[in-house]
């Protein structure tokens, strides 16, 4: 269905508020900027900001919805003969090799990470997001494998696969904050991915292999 005028205006307003807030956070820091500051800069009421973003952390992590189910989307889209972790390793390698902004390989990502490191509330929110990612992936693995509700394996596997992504993102964040060139970081992280794959057990590497149709 085509997007209606009302929906488009709401989407555009939400995006404008988010973009303005991000600029303020990067310039002044997360703790210093208030919701009222964002409202003033966006020329809207404080209530309008809260209608779109219940908390200030939601403003900063505006695009987290696509992050939470990313691993699950990769797993669901894996071809026949590929395991769950192999799908995630392949997708991460593609992103890293492409020096993709989606994994933080871009100029300016260091500013984003410094804002997070300077705000305990954001670090806590990021930890919560990581738990959501694992919970979402665990649910997907249970569905994909037909595991019983009490079976602990999908949760354990989700933890192993989540560790791969978290380690990659953490390594990229540290290197970008150190002022490294994205292309150089990309090459090093590709090696890191190889090292992590070598550390994974055969049980993890062969878990949830998609059967041929």
């Amino acid at each position: 269905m085509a997007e209606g005028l009302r929906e488009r205006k709401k989407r555009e307003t939400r995006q404008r508020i988010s973009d303005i807030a991000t600029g303020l956070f990067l310039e002044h820091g997360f703790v210093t900027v208030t919701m009222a500051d964002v409202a003033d800069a966006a020329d809207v009421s404080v209530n309008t900001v809260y209608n779109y973003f219940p908390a200030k952390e939601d403003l900063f992590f505006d695009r987290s919805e696509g992050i939470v189910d990313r691993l699950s989307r990769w797993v669901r889209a894996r071809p026949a003969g590929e395991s769950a972790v192999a799908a995630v390793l392949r997708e991460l390698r593609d992103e890293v090799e492409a020096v993709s902004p989606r994994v933080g390989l871009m100029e300016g990502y260091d500013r984003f990470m410094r804002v997070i490191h300077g705000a305990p509330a954001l670090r806590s929110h990021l930890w919560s997001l990581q738990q959501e990612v694992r919970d979402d992936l665990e649910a997907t693995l249970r569905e994909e494998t037909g595991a019983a509700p009490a079976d602990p394996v999908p949760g354990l596997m989700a933890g192993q696969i989540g560790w791969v992504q978290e380690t990659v993102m953490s390594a990229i964040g540290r290197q970008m904050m150190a002022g490294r060139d994205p292309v150089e970081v990309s090459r090093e992280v590709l090696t890191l991915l190889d090292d992590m794959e070598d550390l994974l057990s055969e049980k993890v590497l062969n878990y949830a292999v998609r059967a041929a149709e």
Side-chain angles (χ1 to χ4, degrees):
M1 293 178 63
E3 183 180 39
L5 178 61
R6 178 181 174 83
E7 288 73 21
R8 179 173 61 81
K9 286 187 174 181
K10 288 178 67 175
R11 176 176 55 78
E12 290 174 349
T13 298
R14 188 184 193 282
Q15 188 61 57
R16 185 167 63 86
I17 293 171
S18 174
D19 291 343
I20 289 171
T22 298
L24 291 173
F25 293 146
L26 292 177
E27 183 176 356
H28 302 291
F30 181 79
V31 176
T32 303
V33 176
T34 67
M35 294 292 258
D37 293 332
V38 174
D40 287 343
D43 195 24
V44 297
S45 70
V46 174
N47 283 341
T48 297
V49 177
Y50 276 110
N51 284 339
Y52 287 104
F53 304 97
K56 195 164 64 164
E57 292 82 2
D58 297 320
L59 267 170
F60 190 83
F61 290 108
D62 180 29
R63 295 162 181 83
S64 63
E65 183 176 348
I67 295 173
V68 168
D69 69 347
R70 180 167 63 174
L71 296 185
S72 287
R73 285 187 279 111
W74 288 348
V75 168
R76 290 194 188 101
R78 71 196 186 284
E82 188 172 62
S83 70
V85 73
V88 171
L89 286 165
R90 173 175 51 77
E91 293 282 0
L92 281 173
R93 282 194 179 96
D94 288 348
E95 295 276 12
V96 172
E97 190 169 12
V99 195
S100 172
R102 287 189 292 268
V103 289
L105 290 169
M106 62 180 180
E107 299 295 336
Y109 188 65
D110 59 313
R111 297 176 63 198
F112 178 83
M113 291 303 300
R114 285 193 178 92
V115 173
I116 294 177
H117 279 263
L122 289 180
R123 295 199 301 272
S124 177
H125 194 81
L126 182 59
W127 181 86
S128 295
L129 281 175
Q130 291 170 343
Q131 300 311 301
E132 288 184 48
V133 170
R134 293 192 183 194
D135 290 345
D136 185 82
L137 179 58
E138 178 181 349
T140 296
L141 293 175
R142 287 190 184 281
E143 180 182 344
E144 291 282 314
T145 62
D151 187 349
V153 175
L156 296 173
M157 292 296 178
Q160 292 285 297
I161 297 171
W163 165 75
V164 172
Q165 176 178 248
E166 290 164 19
T167 301
V168 166
M169 296 306 298
S170 178
I172 290 173
R174 286 196 305 272
Q175 294 304 318
M176 296 305 294
M177 285 180 66
R180 300 287 307 285
D181 176 70
V183 175
E184 292 179 357
V185 176
S186 168
R187 289 196 293 265
E188 293 179 6
V189 173
L190 286 173
T191 300
L192 176 64
L193 276 164
D194 290 340
D195 292 340
M196 284 192 289
E197 184 171 4
D198 289 341
L199 290 173
L200 295 171
S201 71
E202 287 299 314
K203 187 170 183 178
V204 175
L205 291 171
N206 294 304
Y207 180 74
V209 173
R210 169 151 289 164
E213 296 182 358

